[in-house]
Amino acid sequence: MLVGFLLTLTSSYGQTYFISIFAADIRAEFGLSHGSWGAIYSIGTTASAVVMIWAGVLTDHFRVRVLAPVILVGLAIACLAMSAVPSVALLVVVIFMLRFTGQGMTSQIAMVAMARWFQATRGRALSIASLGFAFGQAMLPLIFVALMAAIGWRQSWLVAAGLAVFLIPVILWCLAQERTPKSIADSTSAIGMDGRMWTRGELLKHWLFWLCVPLLLGPPAWGTALFFQQVHLAEVKGWSLVEYVSLYPWFTITSVSATFLVGMGVDKFGAGRILPLVPLPFMIGFIVISFSTVPIIAGIGLMIVGLGMGMQGTVVGAFWAEHYGTRYIGSIKSAAAAVMVFGSAIGPGVSGYLIDFGVPFTTQMLAYALYFGLSSALATAGVLRARKRLTTTA
């Protein structure tokens, strides 16, 4: 579980909540508008989503102690590249590298390992691993905003590269006796619906997956936009960036609490019963932040969004294992991860261009709230239809 936590924490260097704190400096350095910066981010992220469809399958074939060091080296190289990126064209490549190695593969390795290694306590394992996301969101923006003020934005990426490399020997030490992947030990693999283990091809032809796609897209798309546009949001509200990012610990409080509570709920009630509830805190939180006039109200909104983030990190990973089995969980989750990464590409691009066209992010948030409500309704319909097939297999 410690390995999962450390990997998700380190994935922060490729996550939007981290990259976006450098947005003002990057836009000023290369003369980019909100829309242009959002387009660059979307192109790089979309490319990483496409590659994830193939690369995520590697988690079905290689142990964590073999695959994780390779990906962490790639993440460190991406951080080094960001510290020295000389042009807009290469900025697209660097964003791709950060998103693929950080948000994509580092997170994929962590969550697949937890879903595969643990069965009876899968919810708890995924909860602990997901804490890395929460701690990263709470601590790293504050730390690196201060670091940027002291040494500059490019030099701050050198620090991130060093921290990624430092994790490699820690991972190798923790996994000196790594668990045998359950995809290799077929006899201990958990089954899914209809009493069998589903392949990725079967997943992609199944109606439940497609009913859940809007739910998968929502949090990474519009949740990513919330963090990506944090500089703009602070400006619109008339707050300083430090004042706004100082609210993130509030976000973490509910995110961490939700992570543990939902983990216990998954172990007791199953992920399918909880999944349709995931978009609802995002819906409510976006409305609160949109109408907030003082930081304390925005902080409350972030806390509500944090509840959704904590739920998502635990429930989604457990849902695939519960409904489709663990034999091919790496390839199945890579398909879902590609959808989510693609969602995180949509958010910055759409929100950036809408800002350029005069639609502030605070107004956009109301439309995104409606989207969350509709995605919850679709997921509810799918899960209720699938429940009988899942109960029969149990």
Side-chain angles (χ1 to χ4, degrees):
M1 295 184 191
L2 175 62
V3 169
F5 171 83
L6 292 173
L7 285 172
T8 55
L9 177 62
T10 304
S11 77
S12 296
Y13 307 130
Q15 300 280 6
T16 300
Y17 55 76
F18 183 81
I19 298 173
S20 62
I21 65 174
F22 301 91
D25 293 287
I26 292 173
R27 288 176 50 236
E29 180 91 9
F30 298 106
L32 300 171
S33 68
H34 288 286
S36 299
W37 167 230
I40 289 170
Y41 197 81
S42 295
I43 292 169
T45 303
T46 300
S48 73
V50 173
V51 176
M52 270 298 297
I53 296 173
W54 168 81
V57 180
L58 296 174
T59 54
D60 280 336
H61 301 286
F62 295 96
R63 294 177 185 270
V64 174
R65 69 168 177 262
V66 174
L67 189 57
V70 175
I71 297 301
L72 290 171
V73 168
L75 179 57
I77 293 172
C79 292
L80 290 174
M82 180 60 100
S83 73
V85 61
S87 66
V88 171
L90 289 178
L91 182 60
V92 176
V93 177
V94 173
I95 293 298
F96 160 74
M97 294 169 60
L98 285 170
R99 300 292 276 162
F100 171 67
T101 57
Q103 184 207 24
M105 285 302 294
T106 304
S107 301
Q108 166 85 353
I109 293 169
M111 304 309 279
V112 167
M114 297 301 102
R116 174 176 289 137
W117 290 346
F118 300 92
Q119 289 190 27
T121 58
R122 182 179 293 135
R124 184 173 64 183
L126 288 166
S127 296
I128 293 174
S130 297
L131 288 177
F133 297 125
F135 275 82
Q137 288 172 317
M139 299 177 354
L140 292 180
L142 283 172
I143 292 171
F144 275 81
V145 165
L147 198 60
M148 276 194 293
I151 65 176
W153 75 271
R154 289 185 181 271
Q155 291 73 20
S156 298
W157 280 101
L158 295 175
V159 176
L163 291 172
V165 171
F166 175 76
L167 182 61
I168 295 175
V170 178
I171 293 292
L172 292 175
W173 177 77
C174 289
L175 294 179
Q177 297 293 328
E178 183 178 349
R179 289 170 176 256
T180 300
K182 294 194 186 306
S183 63
I184 297 173
D186 290 348
S187 62
T188 59
S189 293
I191 59 174
M193 293 180 292
D194 302 330
R196 62 191 183 91
M197 292 172 282
W198 296 62
T199 66
R200 182 168 68 179
E202 292 170 331
L203 167 88
L204 294 176
K205 298 175 183 177
H206 194 241
W207 49 264
L208 178 59
F209 173 76
W210 293 105
L211 284 173
C212 291
V213 162
L215 183 148
L216 294 176
L217 279 171
W222 316 127
T224 293
L226 174 63
F227 289 100
F228 187 80
Q229 303 297 354
Q230 60 187 330
V231 174
H232 162 77
L233 185 59
E235 291 174 352
V236 169
K237 295 291 188 181
W239 308 327
S240 70
L241 180 59
V242 172
E243 190 176 20
Y244 181 69
V245 299
S246 68
L247 301 174
Y248 285 179
W250 297 30
F251 169 93
T252 305
I253 289 173
T254 50
S255 181
V256 171
S257 301
T259 295
F260 279 110
L261 291 174
V262 171
M264 291 187 289
V266 166
D267 290 337
K268 185 173 182 179
F269 303 109
R273 295 178 182 273
I274 303 174
L275 183 75
L277 303 177
V278 170
L280 300 183
F282 288 95
M283 179 182 71
I284 298 169
F286 270 44
I287 293 172
V288 172
I289 296 172
S290 176
F291 287 109
S292 64
T293 55
V294 292
I296 190 170
I297 301 300
I300 294 172
L302 282 173
M303 290 177 73
I304 300 172
V305 172
L307 176 62
M309 287 288 190
M311 294 172 68
Q312 178 200 21
T314 301
V315 176
V316 173
F319 179 79
W320 305 121
E322 178 183 287
H323 284 71
Y324 295 99
T326 59
R327 175 65 179 88
Y328 303 102
I329 189 63
S331 60
I332 285 174
K333 194 176 183 304
S334 70
V339 172
M340 297 173 74
V341 173
F342 179 67
S344 68
I346 295 173
V350 171
S351 61
Y353 274 111
L354 287 175
I355 290 171
D356 283 352
F357 280 109
V359 183
F361 189 70
T362 48
T363 301
Q364 297 177 39
M365 294 179 80
L366 299 177
Y368 302 150
L370 176 61
Y371 176 97
F372 284 122
L374 294 175
S375 68
S376 175
L378 286 174
T380 299
V383 167
L384 289 176
R385 182 180 173 187
R387 185 171 296 169
K388 183 177 180 181
R389 297 173 66 178
L390 186 64
T391 302
T392 300
T393 64

